[in-house]
């Protein structure tokens, strides 16, 4: 069975500071992992995805994530936070016909 | 191009009533998914269509929930005898092909259902 765990339901960073959102996965097969962002009253938008081609994945809006098999992690990072990054972030793993989502991390950016 | 659209954006109903939620996927996408997102939670899978048929309905919580996709495009999620616990945001997503595990899913804005 596949699942993901997001550590920290709320994260606050100062504008310009490093963003680090944590995701650990559990999968019995090589995982396909995704990060989605959800802005208020909007649908989920794909930030990036891991498909085993490269362990460091670059996404939109300056985000990237590194797949670490030894740590079963796929943490999301951005070197410098922007006010516009404030949103809910979801990590997900593909399992069969569906995605299994984490409970989400709400990112607040402090000016 | 047009993304996934869902109507209505908000639906308020009374306990015991019947509701229908509509999803228009991206044109040409054969795979369609329904998820339910409760407050403070991530989306939870309900059902998956490949073409016209429900390939996986293992996420439907009970027999009050039903979904159709008669022509392989638009889908309708139907909820009978609604309960207050059904209140959530119902998300629809589509994908070019259901079988490729690395394919992302494109999500609509959701329908917020409130059962009074």
């Amino acid at each position: 069975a596949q699942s993901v765990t997001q550590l920290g339901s709320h994260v606050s960073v100062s504008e310009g500071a490093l963003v680090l959102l944590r995701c650990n996965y559990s999968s019995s097969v090589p995982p396909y992992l995704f990060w989605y962002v959800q802005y208020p009253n909007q649908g989920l938008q794909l930030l990036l995805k891991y498909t085993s081609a490269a362990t460091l994945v670059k996404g939109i809006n300056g985000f990237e994530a590194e797949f670490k098999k030894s740590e079963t992690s796929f943490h999301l990072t951005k070197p410098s936070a922007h006010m516009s990054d404030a949103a809910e972030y979801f990590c997900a793993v593909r399992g069969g016909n569906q995605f299994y989502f984490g409970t989400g991390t709400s990112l607040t950016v402090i000016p | 191009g047009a993304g996934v659209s869902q109507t209505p954006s908000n639906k308020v109903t009374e306990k015991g009533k019947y509701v229908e939620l509509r999803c228009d996927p991206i044109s040409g996408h054969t795979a369609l998914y329904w998820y339910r997102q409760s407050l403070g939670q991530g989306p939870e899978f309900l059902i998956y269509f490949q073409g016209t048929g429900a390939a996986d309905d293992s996420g439907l919580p009970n027999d009050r929930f039903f979904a159709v996709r008669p022509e392989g495009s638009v889908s309708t999620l139907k909820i009978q005898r609604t309960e207050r616990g059904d209140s959530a945001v119902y998300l629809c997503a589509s994908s070019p092909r259901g079988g490729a595990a690395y394919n992302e899913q494109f999500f609509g804005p959701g329908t917020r259902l409130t059962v009074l």
Side-chain angles (χ1 to χ4, degrees):
Chain A
Q2 284 76 27
S3 66
V4 292
T5 301
Q6 292 184 243
L7 299 176
S9 58
H10 292 89
V11 170
S12 293
V13 300
S14 297
E15 190 176 15
L18 171 72
V19 175
L20 171 60
L21 304 181
R22 300 178 185 274
C23 174
N24 288 87
Y25 70 89
S26 173
S27 177
S28 55
V29 297
Y32 290 99
L33 295 158
F34 303 77
W35 274 99
Y36 279 86
V37 61
Q38 187 175 34
Y39 297 102
N41 301 315
Q42 295 187 28
L44 283 79
Q45 179 183 1
L46 181 73
L47 279 176
L48 49 80
K49 61 182 179 182
Y50 168 73
T51 61
S52 76
T55 56
L56 182 62
V57 182
K58 294 188 183 298
I60 63 171
N61 301 338
F63 284 94
E64 62 182 37
E66 186 172 6
F67 174 75
K68 292 187 176 180
K69 185 177 179 180
S70 60
E71 299 178 7
T72 61
S73 70
F74 190 56
H75 301 330
L76 182 71
T77 60
K78 182 174 180 178
S80 177
H82 223 262
M83 295 299 295
S84 60
D85 295 328
E88 188 86 15
Y89 291 80
F90 292 94
C91 180
V93 62
R94 178 77 184 242
N97 296 315
Q98 61 179 279
F99 279 24
Y100 295 88
F101 286 87
T103 51
T105 298
S106 177
L107 176 65
T108 300
V109 182
I110 304 166
Chain B
V4 178
S5 62
Q6 292 186 245
T7 54
S9 56
N10 281 283
K11 177 70 177 178
V12 180
T13 191
E14 294 179 343
K15 180 175 177 295
K17 299 291 188 182
Y18 167 83
V19 296
E20 290 189 351
L21 312 178
R22 176 188 168 106
C23 171
D24 276 274
I26 293 172
S27 178
H29 282 193
T30 59
L32 185 145
Y33 308 79
W34 283 99
Y35 290 82
R36 178 167 70 174
Q37 186 176 16
S38 300
L39 193 63
Q41 300 295 316
E44 293 180 306
F45 170 78
L46 294 176
I47 187 169
Y48 154 61
F49 287 89
Q50 183 59 259
T52 60
D56 183 351
D57 64 358
S58 61
L60 295 178
N62 51 60
D63 61 6
R64 295 187 298 105
F65 288 74
F66 189 72
V68 296
R69 194 185 186 200
E71 298 179 355
S73 178
V74 170
S75 176
T76 304
L77 178 66
K78 308 180 181 193
I79 310 175
Q80 298 177 320
R81 304 183 304 280
T82 51
E83 300 177 356
R84 291 193 180 88
D86 299 335
S87 296
V89 176
Y90 289 81
L91 296 169
C92 177
S94 70
S95 183
R97 294 178 304 279
Y102 51 81
N103 277 343
E104 68 189 83
Q105 297 182 4
F106 296 82
F107 283 82
T111 293
R112 182 177 299 279
L113 175 66
T114 303
V115 182
L116 301 176

